[in-house]
Amino acid sequence: MPVRYLAFLSIILSLMACNDNGPPQPPPLRPVRSATVRAFSGQIQRSFSGISKAGQESRLSFRVPGAIEGLFVKVGDRVQAGQLIARLDATDYELQKQEAQAALARTLAQARNAEANYARVRALYENRNASRNDLDAARAASESAAAAVRASETRLELARSQLRYTRLTAPVNGAIASVPIEAGENVAAGQIVALLTAGAIPEVGVAIPESLIAGIERGDAVAIRFDALPQRVFEGQVTEVGVAATSYATTYPVTVRLSGADPAIRPGMAAEVAFSFGQRTEGGTRFLVPPEAVGEDRAGRFVFILEVEGANLGRVRRQPVRVGELSAEGLEIVSGLKDGNRIVTAGVALIQDGQQVKLLTEPEPAP
């Protein structure tokens, strides 16, 4: 065999010997940290931003369309019940009333004539000088004329009402918060002409997320702070709790009313409302866990529950959870956990369901 082939074969055998490192080694266990969760039974506070508003807000508008002939208020004016706010040009409505009056007069004359004719035909019928058909026709004409009178009276009353609707008055005592139109503008029926605020005790409207709305009831006490009055805290009470979510959001409207009136509080002020939440029982007990212990993917939010298999060894199991609010104490878990569960608190993104892991430290209670 030529020498060059022997040299080539020896090189191949050397390379094969270098790559022979024995059987493949198993991958090292992924280290994780864990903690045991405990039910949280204390009171926690959550604050939500809101806007103050008057106890009563009336969006004043005309019931008929027309052109604004007179506007008698401006923003900030105090008004009394019955005071004139604005007036439409009533020319067309006055003409409609006159037309309805003329139509009523015409139908009244026709009704009198039909009634007289019916009386005459009835007398002739009683003397057997008119047929039964003549009597029926005269009675029908009289009844039809009477119905026409009633219809004309209704049209006249409608015309009078529309004429009255050209005057817009204040329904209650209050203050004008806004006037979005000007004199001379054409307005449609129902278009807002002025916003009237009334009621001595102000309210604050806030939006509460779906995870907390079950913990709010009418009569709950709240603490209210206003950005314009940073040194003062006002007491309030929940008066309305929404039963349906607001449009394009998973929040529910809640209204709180201050315990008393204060001239320093005006509609439109930014406010912060603090609610107290105790332990809830809906879907289980509430838990607070480190935010990094909760993972999320297309299937939703989850945690890994750790099942100990030996000294510093364990196996993880994926557990779907429903989360609540994030606070300084931790992330709230509304459902999915049980008291005493041990969860992975560090390394969640690097492990998979069913994987065996190595415990870095002994479990510590979650905050």
Side-chain angles (χ1 to χ4, degrees), residues 153-172:
E153 289 174 343
T154 301
R155 284 193 291 270
L156 177 58
E157 183 58 32
L158 177 60
R160 287 171 175 168
S161 296
Q162 290 182 327
L163 184 59
R164 289 195 300 270
Y165 295 155
T166 60
R167 292 171 54 86
L168 182 63
T169 58
V172 294

Side-chain angles (χ1 to χ4, degrees), residues 198-255:
I201 300 179
E203 298 177 342
V204 177
V206 296
I208 304 298
E210 60 181 3
S211 60
L212 294 176
I213 190 63
I216 296 177
E217 297 180 354
R218 289 185 180 181
D220 287 351
V222 297
I224 307 170
R225 293 178 173 83
F226 293 91
D227 292 350
L229 307 167
Q231 305 302 324
R232 300 179 62 183
V233 179
F234 300 86
E235 295 181 353
Q237 189 177 57
V238 175
T239 58
E240 298 177 8
V241 180
V243 297
T246 55
S247 301
Y248 308 109
T250 55
T251 58
Y252 292 77
V254 171
T255 301

Side-chain angles (χ1 to χ4, degrees), residues 304-333:
F304 283 114
I305 294 179
L306 183 65
E307 298 173 352
V308 178
E309 295 183 340
N312 296 330
L313 294 179
R315 193 170 299 274
V316 296
R317 174 172 56 86
R318 178 189 172 111
Q319 174 61 43
V321 294
R322 186 161 65 94
V323 304
E325 295 297 306
L326 177 63
S327 65
E329 295 85 4
L331 181 62
E332 182 182 16
I333 302 297

Side-chain angles (χ1 to χ4, degrees), residues 231-361:
Q231 305 302 324
R232 300 179 62 183
V233 179
F234 300 86
E235 295 181 353
Q237 189 177 57
V238 175
T239 58
E240 298 177 8
V241 180
V243 297
T246 55
S247 301
Y248 308 109
T250 55
T251 58
Y252 292 77
V254 171
T255 301
V256 301
R257 179 174 296 170
L258 273 72
S259 299
D262 194 305
I265 302 174
R266 299 187 178 186
M269 285 185 171
E272 195 81 11
V273 182
F275 295 83
S276 295
F277 296 91
Q279 181 173 339
R280 294 199 306 262
T281 58
E282 178 193 4
T285 308
R286 186 180 68 243
F287 299 89
L288 294 175
V289 303
E292 58 271 15
V294 180
E296 184 176 7
D297 56 18
R298 293 183 178 179
R301 294 185 175 94
F302 63 91
V303 299
F304 283 114
I305 294 179
L306 183 65
E307 298 173 352
V308 178
E309 295 183 340
N312 296 330
L313 294 179
R315 193 170 299 274
V316 296
R317 174 172 56 86
R318 178 189 172 111
Q319 174 61 43
V321 294
R322 186 161 65 94
V323 304
E325 295 297 306
L326 177 63
S327 65
E329 295 85 4
L331 181 62
E332 182 182 16
I333 302 297
V334 177
S335 64
L337 289 180
K338 296 180 180 179
D339 195 27
N341 281 152
R342 186 180 300 177
I343 64 172
V344 175
T345 58
V348 173
L350 304 175
I351 57 178
Q352 298 179 355
D353 188 20
Q355 182 177 343
Q356 190 178 42
V357 295
K358 177 181 179 182
L359 305 183
L360 288 180
T361 58

Side-chain angles (χ1 to χ4, degrees), residues 22-66:
Q25 299 296 322
L29 295 179
R30 179 71 64 181
V32 297
R33 295 185 184 276
S34 64
T36 301
V37 297
R38 299 297 180 191
F40 183 84
S41 58
Q43 292 282 335
I44 60 173
Q45 277 199 343
R46 295 286 185 270
S47 296
F48 301 94
S49 299
I51 299 295
S52 64
K53 58 183 180 180
Q56 177 183 348
E57 292 185 350
S58 300
R59 293 166 175 80
L60 306 181
S61 62
F62 288 103
R63 299 176 64 175
V64 293

Side-chain angles (χ1 to χ4, degrees), residues 65-208:
I68 300 292
E69 184 181 65
L71 189 60
F72 307 104
V73 295
K74 58 183 180 295
V75 175
D77 285 352
R78 305 290 303 183
V79 296
Q80 303 297 316
Q83 181 175 335
L84 185 62
I85 302 296
R87 184 177 62 231
L88 295 177
D89 182 358
T91 302
D92 293 342
Y93 296 102
E94 181 65 36
L95 293 175
Q96 290 176 9
K97 188 193 76 169
Q98 294 175 7
E99 182 181 2
Q101 288 174 332
L104 177 60
R106 183 170 58 254
T107 55
L108 284 172
Q110 293 172 351
R112 287 193 298 269
N113 183 51
E115 180 63 25
N117 182 62
Y118 174 53
R120 183 172 59 256
V121 172
R122 184 172 55 188
L124 292 174
Y125 176 77
E126 291 174 352
N127 294 327
R128 298 184 178 182
N129 291 323
S131 66
R132 181 70 183 187
N133 290 337
D134 293 338
L135 178 63
D136 291 342
R139 182 172 61 245
S142 176
E143 293 174 351
S144 177
V149 169
R150 291 192 295 272
S152 295
E153 289 174 343
T154 301
R155 284 193 291 270
L156 177 58
E157 183 58 32
L158 177 60
R160 287 171 175 168
S161 296
Q162 290 182 327
L163 184 59
R164 289 195 300 270
Y165 295 155
T166 60
R167 292 171 54 86
L168 182 63
T169 58
V172 294
N173 298 343
I176 301 298
S178 68
V179 182
I181 54 94
E182 297 288 344
E185 288 188 24
N186 286 313
V187 296
Q191 181 178 342
I192 296 177
V193 173
L195 178 63
L196 176 67
T197 60
I201 300 179
E203 298 177 342
V204 177
V206 296
I208 304 298

